[in-house]
Amino acid sequence: MIARKRGPLEKNATEEVEIPKKLRSSHVAALILARGGSKGIPLKNIKLLAGVPLIGWVLRAAIDSEEFDSVWVSTDHEEIEKVAKSWGAKVHRRSEKVSRDNSTSLETIQEFLEEHPEVTVVCNIQATSPCLHPSHIKNALKKITEDGYDSVFSVVRRYQFRWKEVEKGSDECTEPENLNPAKRPRRQDWNGELIENGSFYFATRDLIMKEGRLQGGRVAYFEMEPQHSVDIDVDIDWPVAEQRVLRYGYFGQGVSLMFCEVSGCLTDGRVHLSGALDEPDAASAKGSVHSRDTEGLSVSIHSRDIAGLRKLQKDDVEVVLVISKEDVVLRQMRYKLKIMTGCEVMVVGEDPLKDVQSMVKKKKLDWKDVAYMGCEAASASCLQLAGLSAAPTDAQPDAIGAGKFACKQGGGAGAVREFAEHVLLQKQQARLQMKQDLIDRNCF
């Protein structure tokens, strides 16, 4: 869910806070432009990068910053719209007029503002900048809300010497543009140059609509670290970009509770009957752990998935297994599953959201603190709301479309372990980022 903006401008219950007049009616919106007609990489904006749609990386950072009154994706493509909504964003369906190859970002943003007169400040975040962090957004926005700037954009410091380009075949000599070759500086003796990195552009409504530009008025920049200045438009080598994102991307704040549907996720959806249980065939027994009851019912769970559950529990992630009340056989084996996995088992009705939501509230958690793995169309709402979510590769299309992480394995064949490793990576990265933030605060 998109959180309302929070910060020093809110009134405390016991204290009156004077709000600057020009900010009293402000509405700050994030806007990600994601046209479907990418020429370089088809549907690049939703292409999976480290298991997550490219646009998902910046949406997660924007929403977790809790600085925006609304987060939007402007698109002309149905599939991009579905992905955007699954990540908690609103969708602005842009017109054909601003969906052409020669349409500019400014034209698209102006169209958005025309349809949303409540927006007073807009932040154009580029979908191709997957290493954006909430802290970048928070600190940049302060320059507008607290320091009174009209526009703020992101830059990165580069240490590159530039030379004048000369026409091929010309006798003209090239000349240095930003150095004296006779006194070539060492890197540590030179401050470098600030270059736009394209991650985001904050601007007021008046600047965009009245002056027709994103940079103007009182202008400020926000300097980002080189490791966070990854641009997929430039880094066209996808595997290289994935390695950068896995190391420097924003993975969220870490989940503490995970729901996992048993049928279709933890198992392949089949339950074995008596007569075929005494001597399981080698294929079914290989890599699986079996549980059977006195009535001759048996369920098989892949050993990799069991290991994944164990790793989550070891890292203080509570795992709750979900069984449909319609699944009479699994309900009978509820106790066996609990013993087998060490996880709590809950039974849900036709709409899993109702029961799962109740448990989330009971544990006093927000959906961003929750991971969900499901395979049925009925699970789509849970998959959309959860901070992290996934569906096995053989799940129903609606479930796959609602999940935020794309599994390569099927239900009962390692998909749970695959998603568990993604959850654990997210927690690890979140801890590292929190540690780095603490170091940064103590140093300045």
Side-chain angles (χ1 to χ4, degrees), residues 34-37 42-48 53-56 59 73-87 89 91 93 384 397-403:
R35 191 168 65 93
L43 290 180
K44 172 182 61 181
N45 292 312
I46 56 174
K47 179 179 170 66
L48 295 179
L54 177 59
I55 198 172
L59 283 173
V73 170
S74 172
T75 187
D76 59 343
H77 199 279
E78 184 176 347
E79 288 302 312
I80 296 177
E81 177 176 355
K82 289 180 181 178
V83 172
K85 288 181 176 178
S86 75
W87 279 85
V91 173
R93 286 306 293 257
Q384 289 175 345
D398 287 347
I400 294 175

Side-chain angles (χ1 to χ4, degrees), residues 168-184:
K168 289 184 179 180
S170 171
D171 292 333
E172 182 184 1
C173 295
T174 186
E175 296 177 358
E177 294 188 331
N178 65 343
L179 82 153
N180 179 356
K183 297 181 179 180
R184 191 179 181 90

